Amino acid sequence: MKNVIYAKYSRERREEFQIATLILEDGESEKTVRKQALHEKAFAHVEAMAVNAPRLARNYQSQGLRVCPCKRDGEGRVSFPFIRGENMDQFLAERIAEGDFKQVKEKVGLFWQFLSSQKDVEPFVPGEKFREIFGEISLPDGLTAAPVSNLDMVFSNILMDGEGFAVTDYEWVFDFPVPIQFLFARSLLLQGAIQTLSREQQEELYALGGVKLEERPLYHEMEVCFQKYVTGREELNVLSRLHAKMGTDCYFLDYWNTEHLYYRVRLLGIPRDGSEPVCLHESRHFQGTVEEKIQVPDTGRYRAFTLLPVDTEAILKINRLEGTREEKEEKVSLTYHNGQVKNGDAYYFKEPPRMEFENREYHSLTVEYVVWHRNHFLIGESIDLRVENEQLRRELGKYTGRLHNRVIRKIGRLLRDRRSGKTE
């Protein structure tokens, strides 16, 4: 008997595309991957994987990229062998974290070879089926495509094991040409860590597939059309759209043609000799809630510092701002900030934050803070409510102050009247 050790249900789709993905394990620890339809309408969608497996194998065989075999094992059900290894998505994320751009570029180049060396690649000509799914879109000249197009050719579906490289999933295969430049650009977008690279590095990666950064909005439009095809063009309550309503981090596709997938942190030192500010620390972070720690070991030549902790509206809480002087750590106070509201060590900004502080003969500096920004869309509303609250408190203070003064004057008059023998 096989036990289910993993299950994923894809229900936020049209019924003809709703499936379950299961990993099964038998008594001898042998694992199998099963995909099965959740509705009778989805039988054809699932069973098509068994048909497409040999077609894709022929497409990729020239580059030594094997396709994980698939067989039909019941109505609306297919199974795959479980392959152990590291997928390219994990590999790229780890190399980016280590700063090894050379290996990142090497693997992305290999991925482009897999796509571009498919069998029977020809100049792309949009057909009726293409326009039905991806819309009427004006694409660049010189694009290429294969007769069979696998939209599941993304880094997370390419496994690296002792035998080489394997395609482990191919649910979305179309029997008409789709530009391989789109498939390449789509894969780069869906690899989150790539979005934290510099613009110049991203430009290098996209160029491997002949894609210019200014062309990404066109491919973004194609992706939006594809997602609408999958979920239903009139369906408004798919999970990705509900995330924003629930306050959950959600990275929208319209960030594809912007710099909004990451933010920049900078700490500037203002030299004592009046020369231009010096960047003492600079880093990039994927959007979301981030704990930042900055240490500057030698601060003697600077009279002041400017911290630019994020380049958008944000809430920031300082956990530590200390300078070392005579081997003792001292708390450093801000001399300026552009926040709209301050609540203890938390600062609320409706514009890119700027925080300044002086160097009081410190030898080193440590800054630690937590920042919330980007998709935390309640930041602006929270700031407005806090500002309104402060205004109301001030108004209340004025009113209670006037009332207090009136009571004091009334008591004073009563005391004077008593001393003079007057009564009310």
Side-chain angles (χ1 to χ4, degrees), residues 29-60:
S29 299
E30 290 293 327
K31 295 178 182 177
T32 304
V33 180
R34 175 186 294 167
K35 290 182 182 284
Q36 59 189 49
L38 296 177
H39 294 276
E40 186 176 349
K41 292 180 181 179
F43 283 2
H45 177 67
V46 171
E47 293 172 10
M49 289 182 242
V51 176
N52 289 324
R55 300 170 70 190
L56 293 175
R58 287 192 296 271
N59 266 21
Y60 300 136

PDB file of all heavy atoms in Angstrom, residues 29-60:
ATOM      1  N   SER A  29      10.150   2.350   0.650  1.00  0.00           N
ATOM      2  CA  SER A  29      10.638   3.730   0.474  1.00  0.00           C
ATOM      3  C   SER A  29      10.815   4.126  -0.980  1.00  0.00           C
ATOM      4  O   SER A  29      11.545   5.063  -1.291  1.00  0.00           O
ATOM      5  CB  SER A  29      11.954   3.957   1.234  1.00  0.00           C
ATOM      6  OG  SER A  29      11.757   3.759   2.614  1.00  0.00           O
ATOM      7  N   GLU A  30      10.169   3.401  -1.888  1.00  0.00           N
ATOM      8  CA  GLU A  30      10.158   3.800  -3.283  1.00  0.00           C
ATOM      9  C   GLU A  30       9.090   4.872  -3.478  1.00  0.00           C
ATOM     10  O   GLU A  30       7.949   4.703  -3.037  1.00  0.00           O
ATOM     11  CB  GLU A  30       9.873   2.590  -4.184  1.00  0.00           C
ATOM     12  CG  GLU A  30      11.008   1.581  -4.251  1.00  0.00           C
ATOM     13  CD  GLU A  30      12.236   2.137  -4.936  1.00  0.00           C
ATOM     14  OE1 GLU A  30      12.073   2.967  -5.856  1.00  0.00           O
ATOM     15  OE2 GLU A  30      13.351   1.765  -4.544  1.00  0.00           O
ATOM     16  N   LYS A  31       9.465   5.929  -4.157  1.00  0.00           N
ATOM     17  CA  LYS A  31       8.546   7.045  -4.316  1.00  0.00           C
ATOM     18  C   LYS A  31       8.082   7.191  -5.763  1.00  0.00           C
ATOM     19  O   LYS A  31       8.836   6.907  -6.702  1.00  0.00           O
ATOM     20  CB  LYS A  31       9.205   8.357  -3.872  1.00  0.00           C
ATOM     21  CG  LYS A  31       9.540   8.397  -2.383  1.00  0.00           C
ATOM     22  CD  LYS A  31      10.233   9.700  -2.013  1.00  0.00           C
ATOM     23  CE  LYS A  31      10.613   9.700  -0.542  1.00  0.00           C
ATOM     24  NZ  LYS A  31      11.358  10.935  -0.171  1.00  0.00           N
ATOM     25  N   THR A  32       6.841   7.636  -5.900  1.00  0.00           N
ATOM     26  CA  THR A  32       6.240   7.888  -7.201  1.00  0.00           C
ATOM     27  C   THR A  32       5.511   9.226  -7.152  1.00  0.00           C
ATOM     28  O   THR A  32       4.916   9.573  -6.127  1.00  0.00           O
ATOM     29  CB  THR A  32       5.222   6.786  -7.566  1.00  0.00           C
ATOM     30  OG1 THR A  32       5.873   5.520  -7.519  1.00  0.00           O
ATOM     31  CG2 THR A  32       4.645   7.009  -8.948  1.00  0.00           C
ATOM     32  N   VAL A  33       5.570   9.951  -8.254  1.00  0.00           N
ATOM     33  CA  VAL A  33       4.818  11.198  -8.369  1.00  0.00           C
ATOM     34  C   VAL A  33       3.581  10.930  -9.209  1.00  0.00           C
ATOM     35  O   VAL A  33       3.673  10.352 -10.295  1.00  0.00           O
ATOM     36  CB  VAL A  33       5.659  12.315  -9.019  1.00  0.00           C
ATOM     37  CG1 VAL A  33       4.840  13.601  -9.123  1.00  0.00           C
ATOM     38  CG2 VAL A  33       6.935  12.560  -8.214  1.00  0.00           C
ATOM     39  N   ARG A  34       2.429  11.330  -8.699  1.00  0.00           N
ATOM     40  CA  ARG A  34       1.176  11.117  -9.426  1.00  0.00           C
ATOM     41  C   ARG A  34       0.465  12.451  -9.624  1.00  0.00           C
ATOM     42  O   ARG A  34       0.405  13.276  -8.712  1.00  0.00           O
ATOM     43  CB  ARG A  34       0.268  10.168  -8.661  1.00  0.00           C
ATOM     44  CG  ARG A  34      -1.124   9.989  -9.300  1.00  0.00           C
ATOM     45  CD  ARG A  34      -2.035   9.158  -8.436  1.00  0.00           C
ATOM     46  NE  ARG A  34      -1.561   7.782  -8.316  1.00  0.00           N
ATOM     47  CZ  ARG A  34      -2.023   6.919  -7.431  1.00  0.00           C
ATOM     48  NH1 ARG A  34      -2.946   7.291  -6.557  1.00  0.00           N
ATOM     49  NH2 ARG A  34      -1.549   5.694  -7.374  1.00  0.00           N
ATOM     50  N   LYS A  35      -0.080  12.649 -10.803  1.00  0.00           N
ATOM     51  CA  LYS A  35      -0.952  13.792 -11.069  1.00  0.00           C
ATOM     52  C   LYS A  35      -2.309  13.239 -11.473  1.00  0.00           C
ATOM     53  O   LYS A  35      -2.399  12.345 -12.320  1.00  0.00           O
ATOM     54  CB  LYS A  35      -0.374  14.683 -12.181  1.00  0.00           C
ATOM     55  CG  LYS A  35       0.881  15.442 -11.756  1.00  0.00           C
ATOM     56  CD  LYS A  35       1.388  16.351 -12.860  1.00  0.00           C
ATOM     57  CE  LYS A  35       2.659  17.067 -12.433  1.00  0.00           C
ATOM     58  NZ  LYS A  35       2.393  18.174 -11.506  1.00  0.00           N
ATOM     59  N   GLN A  36      -3.354  13.752 -10.855  1.00  0.00           N
ATOM     60  CA  GLN A  36      -4.682  13.244 -11.166  1.00  0.00           C
ATOM     61  C   GLN A  36      -5.687  14.390 -11.247  1.00  0.00           C
ATOM     62  O   GLN A  36      -5.567  15.400 -10.541  1.00  0.00           O
ATOM     63  CB  GLN A  36      -5.134  12.207 -10.137  1.00  0.00           C
ATOM     64  CG  GLN A  36      -5.199  12.706  -8.711  1.00  0.00           C
ATOM     65  CD  GLN A  36      -5.449  11.569  -7.725  1.00  0.00           C
ATOM     66  OE1 GLN A  36      -4.774  10.533  -7.773  1.00  0.00           O
ATOM     67  NE2 GLN A  36      -6.412  11.767  -6.825  1.00  0.00           N
ATOM     68  N   ALA A  37      -6.660  14.226 -12.110  1.00  0.00           N
ATOM     69  CA  ALA A  37      -7.678  15.249 -12.330  1.00  0.00           C
ATOM     70  C   ALA A  37      -8.611  15.342 -11.134  1.00  0.00           C
ATOM     71  O   ALA A  37      -8.950  14.336 -10.512  1.00  0.00           O
ATOM     72  CB  ALA A  37      -8.468  14.926 -13.593  1.00  0.00           C
ATOM     73  N   LEU A  38      -9.020  16.571 -10.822  1.00  0.00           N
ATOM     74  CA  LEU A  38      -9.987  16.787  -9.749  1.00  0.00           C
ATOM     75  C   LEU A  38     -11.412  16.872 -10.289  1.00  0.00           C
ATOM     76  O   LEU A  38     -12.372  16.864  -9.506  1.00  0.00           O
ATOM     77  CB  LEU A  38      -9.642  18.076  -8.981  1.00  0.00           C
ATOM     78  CG  LEU A  38      -8.295  18.056  -8.249  1.00  0.00           C
ATOM     79  CD1 LEU A  38      -8.039  19.404  -7.589  1.00  0.00           C
ATOM     80  CD2 LEU A  38      -8.249  16.955  -7.206  1.00  0.00           C
ATOM     81  N   HIS A  39     -11.534  16.976 -11.606  1.00  0.00           N
ATOM     82  CA  HIS A  39     -12.853  16.991 -12.256  1.00  0.00           C
ATOM     83  C   HIS A  39     -12.769  16.147 -13.525  1.00  0.00           C
ATOM     84  O   HIS A  39     -11.696  16.017 -14.121  1.00  0.00           O
ATOM     85  CB  HIS A  39     -13.272  18.423 -12.626  1.00  0.00           C
ATOM     86  CG  HIS A  39     -13.504  19.310 -11.447  1.00  0.00           C
ATOM     87  ND1 HIS A  39     -14.688  19.341 -10.764  1.00  0.00           N
ATOM     88  CD2 HIS A  39     -12.678  20.198 -10.834  1.00  0.00           C
ATOM     89  CE1 HIS A  39     -14.602  20.225  -9.778  1.00  0.00           C
ATOM     90  NE2 HIS A  39     -13.384  20.759  -9.802  1.00  0.00           N
ATOM     91  N   GLU A  40     -13.864  15.615 -13.921  1.00  0.00           N
ATOM     92  CA  GLU A  40     -13.896  14.847 -15.164  1.00  0.00           C
ATOM     93  C   GLU A  40     -13.460  15.699 -16.348  1.00  0.00           C
ATOM     94  O   GLU A  40     -12.828  15.210 -17.282  1.00  0.00           O
ATOM     95  CB  GLU A  40     -15.308  14.288 -15.393  1.00  0.00           C
ATOM     96  CG  GLU A  40     -15.406  13.362 -16.595  1.00  0.00           C
ATOM     97  CD  GLU A  40     -16.789  12.763 -16.732  1.00  0.00           C
ATOM     98  OE1 GLU A  40     -17.606  12.887 -15.790  1.00  0.00           O
ATOM     99  OE2 GLU A  40     -17.067  12.155 -17.792  1.00  0.00           O
ATOM    100  N   LYS A  41     -13.773  17.009 -16.275  1.00  0.00           N
ATOM    101  CA  LYS A  41     -13.377  17.913 -17.356  1.00  0.00           C
ATOM    102  C   LYS A  41     -11.855  17.973 -17.522  1.00  0.00           C
ATOM    103  O   LYS A  41     -11.359  18.340 -18.587  1.00  0.00           O
ATOM    104  CB  LYS A  41     -13.902  19.324 -17.085  1.00  0.00           C
ATOM    105  CG  LYS A  41     -15.406  19.475 -17.169  1.00  0.00           C
ATOM    106  CD  LYS A  41     -15.791  20.919 -16.888  1.00  0.00           C
ATOM    107  CE  LYS A  41     -17.295  21.127 -16.937  1.00  0.00           C
ATOM    108  NZ  LYS A  41     -17.659  22.539 -16.637  1.00  0.00           N
ATOM    109  N   ALA A  42     -11.087  17.672 -16.453  1.00  0.00           N
ATOM    110  CA  ALA A  42      -9.630  17.793 -16.495  1.00  0.00           C
ATOM    111  C   ALA A  42      -8.938  16.494 -16.912  1.00  0.00           C
ATOM    112  O   ALA A  42      -7.707  16.446 -16.952  1.00  0.00           O
ATOM    113  CB  ALA A  42      -9.114  18.238 -15.122  1.00  0.00           C
ATOM    114  N   PHE A  43      -9.707  15.416 -17.231  1.00  0.00           N
ATOM    115  CA  PHE A  43      -9.092  14.149 -17.622  1.00  0.00           C
ATOM    116  C   PHE A  43      -8.142  14.339 -18.807  1.00  0.00           C
ATOM    117  O   PHE A  43      -7.002  13.858 -18.788  1.00  0.00           O
ATOM    118  CB  PHE A  43     -10.164  13.116 -17.984  1.00  0.00           C
ATOM    119  CG  PHE A  43     -10.851  12.494 -16.794  1.00  0.00           C
ATOM    120  CD1 PHE A  43     -10.531  12.880 -15.496  1.00  0.00           C
ATOM    121  CD2 PHE A  43     -11.825  11.514 -16.973  1.00  0.00           C
ATOM    122  CE1 PHE A  43     -11.158  12.304 -14.401  1.00  0.00           C
ATOM    123  CE2 PHE A  43     -12.448  10.923 -15.885  1.00  0.00           C
ATOM    124  CZ  PHE A  43     -12.117  11.330 -14.596  1.00  0.00           C
ATOM    125  N   ALA A  44      -8.604  15.031 -19.820  1.00  0.00           N
ATOM    126  CA  ALA A  44      -7.791  15.190 -21.037  1.00  0.00           C
ATOM    127  C   ALA A  44      -6.514  15.986 -20.747  1.00  0.00           C
ATOM    128  O   ALA A  44      -5.447  15.679 -21.286  1.00  0.00           O
ATOM    129  CB  ALA A  44      -8.615  15.883 -22.120  1.00  0.00           C
ATOM    130  N   HIS A  45      -6.632  16.989 -19.891  1.00  0.00           N
ATOM    131  CA  HIS A  45      -5.474  17.816 -19.556  1.00  0.00           C
ATOM    132  C   HIS A  45      -4.395  16.969 -18.885  1.00  0.00           C
ATOM    133  O   HIS A  45      -3.208  17.096 -19.213  1.00  0.00           O
ATOM    134  CB  HIS A  45      -5.911  18.952 -18.628  1.00  0.00           C
ATOM    135  CG  HIS A  45      -4.796  19.831 -18.162  1.00  0.00           C
ATOM    136  ND1 HIS A  45      -4.104  20.658 -19.014  1.00  0.00           N
ATOM    137  CD2 HIS A  45      -4.246  19.996 -16.920  1.00  0.00           C
ATOM    138  CE1 HIS A  45      -3.176  21.322 -18.326  1.00  0.00           C
ATOM    139  NE2 HIS A  45      -3.237  20.926 -17.055  1.00  0.00           N
ATOM    140  N   VAL A  46      -4.775  16.105 -17.963  1.00  0.00           N
ATOM    141  CA  VAL A  46      -3.810  15.270 -17.253  1.00  0.00           C
ATOM    142  C   VAL A  46      -3.233  14.205 -18.175  1.00  0.00           C
ATOM    143  O   VAL A  46      -2.004  14.001 -18.239  1.00  0.00           O
ATOM    144  CB  VAL A  46      -4.469  14.618 -16.019  1.00  0.00           C
ATOM    145  CG1 VAL A  46      -3.544  13.583 -15.403  1.00  0.00           C
ATOM    146  CG2 VAL A  46      -4.824  15.689 -14.990  1.00  0.00           C
ATOM    147  N   GLU A  47      -4.084  13.513 -18.911  1.00  0.00           N
ATOM    148  CA  GLU A  47      -3.619  12.415 -19.755  1.00  0.00           C
ATOM    149  C   GLU A  47      -2.738  12.891 -20.902  1.00  0.00           C
ATOM    150  O   GLU A  47      -1.932  12.119 -21.442  1.00  0.00           O
ATOM    151  CB  GLU A  47      -4.821  11.635 -20.286  1.00  0.00           C
ATOM    152  CG  GLU A  47      -5.581  10.900 -19.182  1.00  0.00           C
ATOM    153  CD  GLU A  47      -6.881  10.274 -19.666  1.00  0.00           C
ATOM    154  OE1 GLU A  47      -7.099  10.249 -20.906  1.00  0.00           O
ATOM    155  OE2 GLU A  47      -7.677   9.804 -18.829  1.00  0.00           O
ATOM    156  N   ALA A  48      -2.841  14.183 -21.245  1.00  0.00           N
ATOM    157  CA  ALA A  48      -1.991  14.732 -22.307  1.00  0.00           C
ATOM    158  C   ALA A  48      -0.516  14.686 -21.938  1.00  0.00           C
ATOM    159  O   ALA A  48       0.357  14.663 -22.810  1.00  0.00           O
ATOM    160  CB  ALA A  48      -2.405  16.167 -22.607  1.00  0.00           C
ATOM    161  N   MET A  49      -0.203  14.645 -20.649  1.00  0.00           N
ATOM    162  CA  MET A  49       1.209  14.596 -20.228  1.00  0.00           C
ATOM    163  C   MET A  49       1.875  13.316 -20.709  1.00  0.00           C
ATOM    164  O   MET A  49       3.046  13.316 -21.093  1.00  0.00           O
ATOM    165  CB  MET A  49       1.310  14.738 -18.706  1.00  0.00           C
ATOM    166  CG  MET A  49       0.986  16.134 -18.196  1.00  0.00           C
ATOM    167  SD  MET A  49       1.169  16.271 -16.405  1.00  0.00           S
ATOM    168  CE  MET A  49      -0.516  16.683 -15.943  1.00  0.00           C
ATOM    169  N   ALA A  50       1.148  12.208 -20.664  1.00  0.00           N
ATOM    170  CA  ALA A  50       1.713  10.940 -21.132  1.00  0.00           C
ATOM    171  C   ALA A  50       1.957  10.970 -22.637  1.00  0.00           C
ATOM    172  O   ALA A  50       2.906  10.354 -23.143  1.00  0.00           O
ATOM    173  CB  ALA A  50       0.780   9.785 -20.775  1.00  0.00           C
ATOM    174  N   VAL A  51       1.127  11.697 -23.354  1.00  0.00           N
ATOM    175  CA  VAL A  51       1.296  11.847 -24.809  1.00  0.00           C
ATOM    176  C   VAL A  51       2.462  12.771 -25.121  1.00  0.00           C
ATOM    177  O   VAL A  51       3.243  12.536 -26.050  1.00  0.00           O
ATOM    178  CB  VAL A  51      -0.003  12.403 -25.439  1.00  0.00           C
ATOM    179  CG1 VAL A  51       0.190  12.658 -26.931  1.00  0.00           C
ATOM    180  CG2 VAL A  51      -1.160  11.455 -25.192  1.00  0.00           C
ATOM    181  N   ASN A  52       2.628  13.839 -24.314  1.00  0.00           N
ATOM    182  CA  ASN A  52       3.650  14.844 -24.608  1.00  0.00           C
ATOM    183  C   ASN A  52       5.054  14.420 -24.203  1.00  0.00           C
ATOM    184  O   ASN A  52       6.036  14.953 -24.726  1.00  0.00           O
ATOM    185  CB  ASN A  52       3.300  16.159 -23.902  1.00  0.00           C
ATOM    186  CG  ASN A  52       2.109  16.846 -24.532  1.00  0.00           C
ATOM    187  OD1 ASN A  52       1.943  16.805 -25.743  1.00  0.00           O
ATOM    188  ND2 ASN A  52       1.280  17.482 -23.718  1.00  0.00           N
ATOM    189  N   ALA A  53       5.175  13.484 -23.278  1.00  0.00           N
ATOM    190  CA  ALA A  53       6.502  13.071 -22.803  1.00  0.00           C
ATOM    191  C   ALA A  53       7.423  12.631 -23.946  1.00  0.00           C
ATOM    192  O   ALA A  53       8.543  13.151 -24.074  1.00  0.00           O
ATOM    193  CB  ALA A  53       6.374  11.979 -21.752  1.00  0.00           C
ATOM    194  N   PRO A  54       7.022  11.693 -24.823  1.00  0.00           N
ATOM    195  CA  PRO A  54       7.922  11.286 -25.915  1.00  0.00           C
ATOM    196  C   PRO A  54       8.142  12.398 -26.939  1.00  0.00           C
ATOM    197  O   PRO A  54       9.217  12.476 -27.540  1.00  0.00           O
ATOM    198  CB  PRO A  54       7.212  10.076 -26.536  1.00  0.00           C
ATOM    199  CG  PRO A  54       5.784  10.208 -26.116  1.00  0.00           C
ATOM    200  CD  PRO A  54       5.804  10.863 -24.786  1.00  0.00           C
ATOM    201  N   ARG A  55       7.155  13.262 -27.139  1.00  0.00           N
ATOM    202  CA  ARG A  55       7.316  14.371 -28.084  1.00  0.00           C
ATOM    203  C   ARG A  55       8.403  15.328 -27.590  1.00  0.00           C
ATOM    204  O   ARG A  55       9.253  15.778 -28.358  1.00  0.00           O
ATOM    205  CB  ARG A  55       5.997  15.126 -28.253  1.00  0.00           C
ATOM    206  CG  ARG A  55       4.865  14.275 -28.774  1.00  0.00           C
ATOM    207  CD  ARG A  55       3.540  15.001 -28.681  1.00  0.00           C
ATOM    208  NE  ARG A  55       3.427  16.096 -29.612  1.00  0.00           N
ATOM    209  CZ  ARG A  55       2.451  16.999 -29.598  1.00  0.00           C
ATOM    210  NH1 ARG A  55       1.504  16.937 -28.667  1.00  0.00           N
ATOM    211  NH2 ARG A  55       2.411  17.959 -30.498  1.00  0.00           N
ATOM    212  N   LEU A  56       8.377  15.638 -26.286  1.00  0.00           N
ATOM    213  CA  LEU A  56       9.389  16.524 -25.718  1.00  0.00           C
ATOM    214  C   LEU A  56      10.760  15.849 -25.694  1.00  0.00           C
ATOM    215  O   LEU A  56      11.781  16.505 -25.892  1.00  0.00           O
ATOM    216  CB  LEU A  56       8.987  16.948 -24.305  1.00  0.00           C
ATOM    217  CG  LEU A  56       7.751  17.845 -24.210  1.00  0.00           C
ATOM    218  CD1 LEU A  56       7.393  18.091 -22.750  1.00  0.00           C
ATOM    219  CD2 LEU A  56       7.985  19.177 -24.922  1.00  0.00           C
ATOM    220  N   ALA A  57      10.783  14.547 -25.445  1.00  0.00           N
ATOM    221  CA  ALA A  57      12.053  13.820 -25.432  1.00  0.00           C
ATOM    222  C   ALA A  57      12.759  13.950 -26.771  1.00  0.00           C
ATOM    223  O   ALA A  57      13.985  14.130 -26.837  1.00  0.00           O
ATOM    224  CB  ALA A  57      11.825  12.353 -25.081  1.00  0.00           C
ATOM    225  N   ARG A  58      11.995  13.868 -27.857  1.00  0.00           N
ATOM    226  CA  ARG A  58      12.585  14.041 -29.189  1.00  0.00           C
ATOM    227  C   ARG A  58      13.087  15.477 -29.368  1.00  0.00           C
ATOM    228  O   ARG A  58      14.111  15.710 -29.995  1.00  0.00           O
ATOM    229  CB  ARG A  58      11.559  13.701 -30.261  1.00  0.00           C
ATOM    230  CG  ARG A  58      11.275  12.212 -30.394  1.00  0.00           C
ATOM    231  CD  ARG A  58      10.487  11.912 -31.659  1.00  0.00           C
ATOM    232  NE  ARG A  58       9.164  12.527 -31.626  1.00  0.00           N
ATOM    233  CZ  ARG A  58       8.083  11.954 -31.122  1.00  0.00           C
ATOM    234  NH1 ARG A  58       8.178  10.733 -30.577  1.00  0.00           N
ATOM    235  NH2 ARG A  58       6.921  12.568 -31.154  1.00  0.00           N
ATOM    236  N   ASN A  59      12.343  16.442 -28.808  1.00  0.00           N
ATOM    237  CA  ASN A  59      12.725  17.846 -28.940  1.00  0.00           C
ATOM    238  C   ASN A  59      14.060  18.162 -28.279  1.00  0.00           C
ATOM    239  O   ASN A  59      14.873  18.911 -28.805  1.00  0.00           O
ATOM    240  CB  ASN A  59      11.650  18.747 -28.311  1.00  0.00           C
ATOM    241  CG  ASN A  59      10.633  19.225 -29.320  1.00  0.00           C
ATOM    242  OD1 ASN A  59      10.481  18.601 -30.370  1.00  0.00           O
ATOM    243  ND2 ASN A  59       9.955  20.304 -29.012  1.00  0.00           N
ATOM    244  N   TYR A  60      14.286  17.576 -27.099  1.00  0.00           N
ATOM    245  CA  TYR A  60      15.441  17.967 -26.289  1.00  0.00           C
ATOM    246  C   TYR A  60      16.648  17.045 -26.430  1.00  0.00           C
ATOM    247  O   TYR A  60      17.707  17.331 -25.892  1.00  0.00           O
ATOM    248  CB  TYR A  60      15.043  17.991 -24.804  1.00  0.00           C
ATOM    249  CG  TYR A  60      13.937  18.955 -24.449  1.00  0.00           C
ATOM    250  CD1 TYR A  60      12.911  18.555 -23.595  1.00  0.00           C
ATOM    251  CD2 TYR A  60      13.904  20.250 -24.955  1.00  0.00           C
ATOM    252  CE1 TYR A  60      11.893  19.428 -23.238  1.00  0.00           C
ATOM    253  CE2 TYR A  60      12.887  21.125 -24.609  1.00  0.00           C
ATOM    254  CZ  TYR A  60      11.881  20.705 -23.763  1.00  0.00           C
ATOM    255  OH  TYR A  60      10.875  21.566 -23.416  1.00  0.00           O
TER     256      TYR A  60
END
